[in-house]
Amino acid sequence: MTKYLKKIGAKRIINIYLILYFIFLLLCLFYIRNNKNWIGECDDYSLPVASILNDHNFSINCNDIVYYKNLFPDWSDYIDDYVLSGYITRNGSGEMTWYFPIYAIVCIPYVILLKAIGVSTIFAFRLTNVTVLMIALIATVKILNCEDKQKLILLITLSINPIVIYIVWVSAEVLIFSLLMIALAFWYNKYYKRSAVFLSLAGILNPTVMSIGIIMIIEYFIDLFRNRNNPIIVIIKENIVNIIEYGTCFIIAIIPMIYNYYNTGHINLTASYSGFTQNSETIFSRFVAYLFDLNFGILPYYAVILLISIIMFVFSIIKKHQRYFLWLVSFIFTVITYSIMAHINCGMSGIARYSSWGVLPLIFAVILFGKENIKTDKCLTTYNFILFVGVILTSINILFTGTLSYKYFTPVAKIALDNLPSVYNPLHSTFNSRVNHIEGGYNIITPVVYYGEDNYIRKILATSADKEVLLNIYYSDTGYDQWFIDKVNKLDEDMTYINIPKKYGIKEINDIN
């Protein structure tokens, strides 16, 4: 591979790849052109387009709905049932959406263009998603100060990402992904101010992104005070203008907070709604789920990168590789931050939508800093080959999960549950949501029972209150009734999983062939 890259030139391959990838995205859009479904949080993201064009403000009123139906006739039947935040602006001009309308503003040029040429305006959101993604990929390879070979591997890994599933969504996820990608490219080069600007723009769309900014600030001051000959106070005085300028770059992210607080008294509307922030699960359990859950976690898509990141973490401690450690912390900190939001079993395609962009610091760190721990070309070639295998696994997962409903188990989760049910123990709410095909799944009525493809039971979520029901309804047709009775009798007041391997043949009494 190394000889091939030298012969053709990694830079030329990058340019060819970008062109082919762009054509591929356009072909995908053409293929799904007849799909006019209401995908994602259409009301929150598309209504502000109508409001801004109609009466030049962000809130939604009755006149905006009338204008919307004319602007987006393909969605006119859906919009009467729109659901927004319920908060009214301070001057009473209209209802506020859950999200600050930066994504809507970015989509407006395509809306105006498509309206002018007589093409359905609903495609403006998909075209915007493709455009910002391509701009970000091109900008990233141009910005980064690293070898072209590493740029190529990074480009392929970034482009073959579950974010491609969200291109058809009317949602800010692709824009967040794109802005964050550029921010990380600048951060890698230690262009702190430019990085802060793009990070803050992404932070307008989702404030949890700003957790990365905290790590960026820490690194900035570490660099400022490294090998200092003067007292800290003197260094600060000498660099006060730069420090203030850098800090000012982050102010962009607080614009929505000011807007929200002025109108509602809350700096974040989703965080003010108890339904999004309160349930019985812990932040830590959601953090683990975002990393490892086989339905929406990072692991099924990035098992190779996660494994390498752990190995590299050991090397970073031994070799005192500070930058890798900080980038890894920024990834962990980001996932922890959006794990605070309790509503975890909600709209997604394959990977949880937050994680589609939340994984970016990890990808950058593993690919760009990995080379620094490798001494020989042969080892680097092996390392890059392993990364390429990871990309192939990601591609397979995208193909098999991208079109599935988030209310059903993914193929990987089903394989685990059908063959090794004790290996996969999801959040109770996730299990309930996917078994019963419902949103959220936080109000659990036990027992919750998962059946394998052969109609035998593989997993039960239950409490001691369910003992009588379980023993009366289920039996073993392979002679393991006592095993099942013992498992049921061990249940207590807390919800617990009973894992049932195939050989025990547990099924409903009425399900007798």
Side-chain angles (χ1 to χ4, degrees), residues 133 136-137 140 144 154-164 172-185 187-188 198-199 202 209 212 291 298 302 305-306 309 324 327-328 330-332 334-335 338 351-369:
L133 179 57
L137 290 171
T140 296
L144 281 171
L154 180 64
L155 171 63
I156 294 172
T157 308
L158 291 173
S159 59
I160 303 178
N161 179 290
I163 198 66
V164 298
E173 260 44 66
V174 178
L175 182 55
I176 297 173
F177 181 91
S178 302
L179 291 168
L180 181 55
M181 189 196 310
I182 297 173
L184 293 176
W187 183 22
Y188 177 79
F198 280 92
L199 184 74
V209 175
I212 297 173
L291 289 180
I298 292 171
Y302 293 107
I305 283 182
L306 279 171
S309 72
Y324 174 76
W327 281 62
L328 183 62
S330 74
F331 160 69
I332 294 171
T334 302
V335 179
Y338 60 70
I351 197 171
R353 52 184 177 166
Y354 302 142
S355 295
S356 65
W357 47 260
V359 74
L360 281 178
L362 187 67
I363 293 173
F364 270 76
V366 167
I367 293 175
L368 297 181
F369 295 129

Side-chain angles (χ1 to χ4, degrees), residues 172-245:
E173 260 44 66
V174 178
L175 182 55
I176 297 173
F177 181 91
S178 302
L179 291 168
L180 181 55
M181 189 196 310
I182 297 173
L184 293 176
F186 279 130
W187 183 22
Y188 177 79
N189 293 349
K190 295 193 175 183
Y191 299 161
Y192 289 110
K193 295 174 188 176
R194 278 171 274 187
S195 179
V197 168
F198 280 92
L199 184 74
S200 298
L201 289 171
I204 290 178
L205 298 159
N206 192 311
T208 62
V209 175
M210 298 310 297
S211 56
I212 297 173
I214 296 173
I215 308 302
M216 284 171 52
I217 292 171
I218 291 172
E219 185 184 76
Y220 173 82
F221 280 104
I222 289 174
D223 285 349
L224 195 64
F225 300 138
R226 181 180 280 118
N227 301 322
R228 60 186 177 88
N229 296 318
N230 296 320
I232 290 178
I233 190 66
V234 173
I235 295 174
I236 292 176
K237 286 181 179 179
E238 290 175 347
N239 293 275
I240 190 65
V241 174
N242 279 329
I243 293 171
I244 293 172
E245 287 177 350

